[in-house]
Amino acid sequence: MSYTAIHKGCTLKGVETMRAIGYARVSSREQIDGTSLESQETMIRQYAALKGMELVDVLVDAGVSGGKPLASRPEGARLAEMVGSGEVQAVIICKLDRGFRSASDCLNNVEAWEKDSVSLHILNLGGQSIDTSTPTGKFFITIMAGAAELERNMINERCNEGRKARKAEGKRIGELPYGYDLADDGKLVENETEQRALTIIRDMKNAGSSLRTIANHLNEHGYTPKKSPVWTHGHVQSVLRRAA
């Protein structure tokens, strides 16, 4: 059920209007894939209007990883300041992962904000809108946030098991290393040209050549790195680190 079907708040005469701050975020990958900040902002503004809130602003962190704590993000830090100074009484986000890196991170913020009489409003948490100013909302967010974190941990565990299995089978894990190609069965096989380049890199480095000198030598002799037309000192350094 959408939040528009649940909440039909209005501002009553003589009752002070609640001041709210909205927050939206997308990561770089989501921006490339077309996740819309405009959509988040529209939902936040609609919700504030339906609840009779005075929406002070909608803060936006574009291209910021959800793995960062809210207060360490540029606009997230500004939000924290506004909450701490008493400028707002409510924070509105569209989904849990827009605002917080984990369920525990969410709950820690909710508990801290509660001391300042600031409530969190999540427009879509398991298909429901949540308002932590109510006992039901606080209970529901605790349960749903915990379930979300459990699911993420289980996914991470499955991914780790998958990596271990691929490693045991001699298959590639992560980015394809320089000097190797991927066979049809998923195993790594040596690339003769790249292996020769690796030998040159190691020999020149052991002889005291600089990374830039090695890169220039490889370019002059027709060798190319993966995913780039020419060698740079950064490419050489990356190959050496991985081979170490």
Side-chain angles (χ1 to χ4, degrees):
M1 184 181 295
S2 68
Y3 67 83
T4 56
I6 299 176
H7 294 289
K8 298 181 180 179
C10 60
T11 304
L12 300 177
K13 186 175 181 180
V15 177
E16 185 178 350
T17 301
M18 179 181 289
R19 290 168 58 84
I21 184 69
Y23 178 80
R25 180 194 65 79
V26 292
S27 67
S28 296
R29 169 52 56 189
E30 289 167 331
Q31 284 179 299
I32 294 171
D33 292 343
T35 297
S36 173
L37 283 169
E38 274 188 26
S39 175
Q40 291 184 53
E41 183 171 350
T42 297
M43 291 176 66
I44 289 169
R45 292 190 181 280
Q46 288 177 345
Y47 179 86
L50 286 168
K51 294 287 287 182
M53 297 176 175
E54 177 189 347
L55 187 62
V56 177
D57 199 358
V58 177
L59 306 180
V60 174
D61 273 323
V64 175
S65 170
K68 292 184 176 181
L70 180 63
S72 71
R73 306 171 195 169
E75 291 302 285
R78 186 179 163 203
L79 182 151
E81 289 177 3
M82 295 178 73
V83 169
S85 66
E87 291 183 54
V88 296
Q89 294 81 51
V91 175
I92 308 173
I93 61 175
C94 288
K95 290 186 177 181
L96 180 71
D97 63 359
R98 297 305 89 194
F100 309 100
R101 60 178 177 172
S102 66
S104 58
D105 183 33
C106 172
L107 295 177
N108 288 338
N109 277 277
V110 167
E111 290 176 0
W113 294 348
E114 191 175 44
K115 295 177 182 177
D116 294 322
S117 299
V118 175
S119 59
L120 172 65
H121 299 249
I122 304 179
L123 308 190
N124 184 354
L125 183 64
Q128 302 273 350
S129 66
I130 301 302
D131 171 0
T132 63
S133 67
T134 67
T136 301
K138 181 70 179 296
F139 173 78
F140 192 70
I141 195 173
T142 302
I143 298 300
M144 291 299 294
E149 185 159 17
L150 175 62
E151 182 179 6
R152 282 193 294 273
N153 290 337
M154 291 178 67
I155 291 172
N156 289 336
E157 185 176 351
R158 288 197 295 270
C159 289
N160 290 334
E161 291 300 321
R163 292 189 187 97
K164 290 178 182 178
R166 291 181 67 83
K167 186 175 182 180
E169 294 170 3
K171 296 181 179 180
R172 176 175 66 97
I173 301 173
E175 185 179 349
L176 187 64
Y178 190 78
Y180 297 88
D181 290 325
L182 194 63
D184 292 338
D185 61 1
K187 294 184 178 181
L188 296 177
V189 293
E190 290 188 349
N191 179 304
E192 292 184 9
T193 301
E194 292 184 0
Q195 286 293 328
R196 286 198 297 272
L198 282 174
T199 299
I200 292 171
I201 291 172
R202 293 191 187 99
D203 290 346
M204 291 186 69
K205 181 61 177 174
N206 290 335
S209 297
S210 68
L211 299 179
R212 198 173 301 279
T213 298
I214 297 173
N216 291 337
H217 180 86
L218 293 170
N219 289 329
E220 289 170 2
H221 289 78
Y223 294 100
T224 57
K226 292 187 185 294
K227 299 182 180 180
S228 180
V230 295
W231 285 91
T232 66
H233 70 283
H235 290 126
V236 175
Q237 185 177 49
S238 178
V239 168
L240 286 170
R241 283 177 177 172
R242 188 154 193 167

